[in-house]
Amino acid sequence: QVQLVESGGGLVQAGDSLRLSCAASGRTFSSYAMGWFRQGLGKEREFVAAIRWSGGRSYYASSAKGRFTISRDTAKNTVYLQMNSLRPEDTAVYYCATRTGGEISGYRYTNTNEYDYWGQGTQVTVSS
């Protein structure tokens, strides 16, 4: 299996930036793509962004486009989520996940069911 560990969360003010990291270990050769999801208190987990390891094609939720950037460092088996212009509604636990099942249509990356392994999450809190 693949182990994922998120880091980089914290408490910031609206308009500030954060960069989250997700380090993968274990059977990383089986990982096809990585995704970032978030879950606010009492809410369902929602898609933020995803990226393919090969080629780096990325996908974003509407709420993330223009503000967030997902990237990967293949040598480090690490993916990042650069978050700019943060808003209070971005407050959530942010989770990274990996898909091992191969290529799918872009819109399917938004579905939690398309991912196989998940990290424990990192808290992001944005104050107004």
Side-chain angles (χ1 to χ4, degrees):
Q1 62 182 56
V2 180
Q3 291 77 231
L4 305 173
V5 179
E6 304 97 333
S7 62
L11 173 62
V12 298
Q13 293 185 343
D16 286 351
S17 299
L18 278 175
R19 190 181 75 158
L20 306 182
S21 299
C22 176
S25 61
R27 300 178 76 250
T28 56
F29 59 86
S30 66
S31 178
Y32 180 80
M34 301 289 289
W36 284 100
F37 292 76
R38 66 188 184 187
Q39 187 167 19
L41 187 63
K43 299 183 178 180
E44 295 184 349
R45 194 166 299 187
E46 66 175 354
F47 172 76
V48 179
I51 190 168
R52 299 174 184 171
W53 283 109
S54 179
R57 188 176 182 88
S58 58
Y59 307 89
Y60 294 93
S62 296
S63 60
K65 290 180 179 178
R67 298 191 300 128
F68 296 179
T69 302
I70 189 170
S71 61
R72 90 284 195 220
D73 186 332
T74 57
K76 295 181 178 180
N77 288 322
T78 301
V79 296
Y80 306 94
L81 184 68
Q82 178 66 46
M83 304 187 293
N84 299 326
S85 302
L86 284 164
R87 306 164 180 167
E89 52 262 43
D90 295 319
T91 296
V93 177
Y94 283 71
Y95 299 90
C96 67
T98 185
R99 172 179 173 79
T100 63
E103 175 64 2
I104 53 175
S105 299
Y107 76 92
R108 293 174 61 183
Y109 284 103
T110 67
N111 193 329
T112 59
N113 293 329
E114 299 291 355
Y115 298 83
D116 305 292
Y117 302 102
W118 296 79
Q120 294 299 304
T122 185
Q123 177 72 48
V124 172
T125 302
V126 184
S127 63
S128 60

